[in-house]
Amino acid sequence: MAILSNLNDSELLQLLKDGREDAFTEIYNRYWERLVATGYYYTRCKEVAEEIVNDVLMGLWLRRASLVIQSLPAYLGTAVKFAVFKAMARNKRRNQLLSGQLLAEDGAAAHNDTEQQLDALFLDEWLRGIVEQLPEKARLVFVYSRDEALSVEEIAGKMDLSPKSVEYHMTKALKTIRDSIRKMSIFLHSFLS
């Protein structure tokens, strides 16, 4: 039998799906610190970060048979960020209720507003992460187009490329983003179900 620490993530995931607790323990040990650091970055509270990571990892174990995971670090990192933002929304709403800031009749609207803001923040950060991983020219074309609202001709002039090259890199960037959104929707479906 192979030593689990020598296995790659795909091999560990297969063992996890087979119900191997030792594979879960290896994943837990392999990613614990990194995930707590991610949680702490957003919460600034070690105990809350640890609780969130425990919940995410327990969710991984409980849904092990039905999950489709392409990249374990990306899946776990996204799950922790998503759980942090949800916890922040719950805490904010709880604090508002305790301080009497929310009236019963508009409490649901305020809660939905906070949830939407946190979801938008999460999606914006997630999208920026995808854009940062694009090849340099595709990333620059996307940023110039979306963030600076430059036309294809302006981007071509700024980057010393032909307009066709700019269109090629934009198409490449948008395809990568679309593929990532599709994978995220699969992740969210499995995470929330």
Side-chain angles (χ1 to χ4, degrees):
M1 180 168 114
I3 297 174
L4 293 180
S5 62
N6 293 334
L7 299 179
N8 66 35
D9 288 344
S10 297
E11 293 165 328
L12 281 175
L13 282 170
Q14 186 55 53
L15 293 174
L16 180 75
K17 282 186 176 221
D18 294 340
R20 294 267 307 265
E21 290 182 25
D22 54 346
F24 173 75
T25 301
E26 176 60 28
I27 290 169
Y28 191 97
N29 292 334
R30 189 176 289 186
Y31 289 102
W32 170 259
E33 286 184 29
R34 185 184 325 178
L35 295 173
V36 169
T38 299
Y40 181 79
Y41 176 81
Y42 293 102
T43 64
R44 297 293 183 221
C45 178
K46 184 178 178 189
E47 293 78 20
V48 171
E50 288 175 347
E51 184 179 325
I52 286 170
V53 172
N54 270 330
D55 290 347
V56 166
L57 289 170
M58 286 311 300
L60 176 70
W61 172 254
L62 294 173
R63 293 187 301 278
R64 66 190 177 275
S66 63
L67 293 176
V68 178
I69 300 174
Q70 301 298 321
S71 167
L72 186 58
Y75 174 87
L76 292 173
T78 302
V80 167
K81 289 177 188 175
F82 188 75
V84 164
F85 292 137
K86 289 293 183 185
M88 289 168 60
R90 280 193 307 273
N91 286 340
K92 181 176 181 180
R93 184 163 187 273
R94 185 179 303 119
N95 290 338
Q96 288 173 332
L97 287 170
L98 290 174
S99 68
Q101 292 176 355
L102 292 179
L103 299 175
E105 61 270 6
D106 63 12
H111 174 69
N112 289 339
D113 211 29
T114 302
E115 290 281 325
Q116 289 174 352
Q117 290 172 354
L118 288 170
D119 288 345
L121 177 66
F122 168 74
L123 290 173
D124 183 59
E125 180 176 325
W126 177 74
L127 179 61
R128 289 187 187 284
I130 293 169
V131 171
E132 287 300 315
Q133 294 175 8
L134 291 171
E136 184 179 2
K137 286 184 182 177
R139 180 178 54 79
L140 286 173
V141 165
F142 184 84
V143 168
Y144 288 148
S145 171
R146 297 306 191 255
D147 292 349
E148 297 183 23
L150 298 179
S151 68
V152 170
E153 291 76 20
E154 291 170 323
I155 297 169
K158 191 167 189 161
M159 293 182 65
D160 197 27
L161 296 172
S162 72
K164 285 284 186 199
S165 292
V166 170
E167 290 172 1
Y168 166 78
H169 290 297
M170 179 58 75
T171 300
K172 188 175 182 178
L174 291 174
K175 182 184 182 313
T176 301
I177 291 168
R178 268 193 308 274
D179 289 346
S180 296
I181 290 171
R182 183 181 52 77
K183 289 175 186 172
M184 173 59 88
S185 67
I186 292 169
F187 159 75
L188 287 176
H189 176 72
S190 65
F191 181 75
L192 296 174
S193 61

